[in-house]
Amino acid sequence: YKLRATANWVQKPYEKRNFWERLATFDLASDKCYVVQPQNTNPPPNLNVWRERIWLTVMIAPALLIQALWYYIIPENSYFHTWHPIVAFIFYHLAFVTFIIRLVKHITYYMDIYGTFDEYKRPRDYVPDKYVYRLILSILIYTLARTGGGLVLGGYDRYSPPSLGHTISWAFPVKIGIWLITLDFFFYFYHRAVHTFPFLWKYHSKHHSTKHPTPLQSILADDLQEIIEIFLIPLAAS
């Protein structure tokens, strides 16, 4: 339990880290998260869920507003009035990456303020040396696939700009809600299975290479696991 994976890259000065290690630096929390802390006997913190929902809305809304504003400003008879799928993909991928950066900083802020689970026994783990490249690759695959999947499953059509009551029905929020519940159903049984059956665990074990991960380390996965979680399960839920 006390054995920690080797993470010598963290000890290097930033300028001596390679490209992948510099990107992984983004996942680092404050120093206190990586050392054992005194046991906190206070009750667990209770965050206001609506405050977090407002934060998420504020973080997500700008990309949607920018596209809506573009449609409003650029004349309808202009070729550039609507976005080519490639343009939409690049724009929303950058927006997604920006959101992830802000989300990780948001979570690590809470880690610093409120502490982390079991921190009086064991602190957070650094990304192991052997998985730094794999983690960054997993993040890239995740963001690209989620962006592309959203456009495909959402039926993005350049010549039918999204608008409530027109290309997006008023039942759309209900459909999204049902899809999310179905997705959670599929993911639960898949995740239960990989922890139950040894022949599946070998494809999931890399995800647990660190016992006390930081936020982005939760994305670390094997190739087959990424295919299942990013493509097959959302497709099955659809």
Side-chain angles (χ1 to χ4, degrees):
Y1 179 79
K2 294 183 179 180
L3 184 64
R4 304 180 74 180
T6 304
N8 292 324
W9 70 272
V10 181
Q11 309 304 324
K12 299 179 185 177
Y14 181 81
E15 59 274 9
K16 292 188 177 181
R17 295 174 186 171
N18 62 37
F19 175 75
W20 307 106
E21 292 167 349
R22 290 186 180 187
L23 291 179
T25 301
F26 161 69
D27 185 48
L28 295 178
S30 64
D31 292 341
K32 65 171 287 188
C33 294
Y34 299 102
V35 293
V36 173
Q37 298 295 315
Q39 186 170 5
N40 188 344
T41 57
N42 295 325
N46 184 15
L47 294 178
N48 187 310
V49 66
W50 281 105
R51 187 179 72 179
E52 296 305 303
R53 288 171 179 168
I54 292 172
W55 183 89
L56 285 171
T57 302
V58 171
M59 293 298 105
I60 294 171
L64 301 174
L65 292 175
I66 288 173
Q67 187 177 19
L69 187 62
W70 179 279
Y71 288 149
Y72 179 78
I73 294 176
I74 305 301
E76 290 188 16
N77 59 356
S78 170
Y79 175 80
F80 299 102
H81 174 69
T82 55
W83 291 359
H84 189 279
I86 294 177
V87 175
F89 175 81
I90 294 173
F91 173 77
Y92 279 105
H93 181 253
L94 292 176
F96 189 25
V97 170
T98 301
F99 169 73
I100 289 177
I101 292 173
R102 291 174 174 173
L103 179 62
V104 169
K105 295 301 181 184
H106 191 63
I107 295 174
T108 52
Y109 168 77
Y110 282 148
M111 290 167 61
D112 187 42
I113 298 298
Y114 298 113
T116 57
F117 177 75
D118 225 12
E119 64 181 359
Y120 66 95
K121 293 182 179 179
R122 174 170 170 158
R124 297 295 96 183
D125 290 330
Y126 292 109
V127 181
D129 289 331
K130 62 180 180 179
Y131 289 141
V132 170
Y133 165 76
R134 181 69 220 189
L135 173 64
I136 302 304
L137 182 61
S138 293
I139 294 170
L140 179 62
I141 293 173
Y142 175 84
T143 56
L144 290 172
R146 290 296 188 190
T147 305
L151 293 174
V152 172
L153 294 178
Y156 181 82
D157 184 353
R158 175 179 183 178
Y159 299 103
S160 297
S163 62
L164 281 174
H166 179 48
T167 56
I168 298 178
S169 72
W170 294 100
F172 182 72
V174 176
K175 292 179 180 179
I176 288 293
I178 294 174
W179 183 80
L180 289 173
I181 293 172
T182 307
L183 178 66
D184 199 45
F185 173 83
F186 275 95
F187 188 83
Y188 169 79
F189 282 100
Y190 150 76
H191 199 196
R192 186 71 178 264
V194 296
H195 278 265
T196 302
F197 302 105
F199 73 95
L200 292 176
W201 169 253
K202 65 180 180 180
Y203 300 111
H204 187 65
S205 58
K206 185 179 291 184
H207 176 67
H208 291 274
S209 59
T210 57
K211 301 300 181 184
H212 284 58
T214 48
L216 280 182
Q217 289 179 44
S218 63
I219 299 178
L220 181 64
D222 213 331
D223 291 333
L224 181 59
Q225 179 179 342
E226 288 183 339
I227 292 173
I228 293 173
E229 294 185 2
I230 296 177
F231 296 104
L232 298 186
I233 292 180
L235 186 61
S238 301

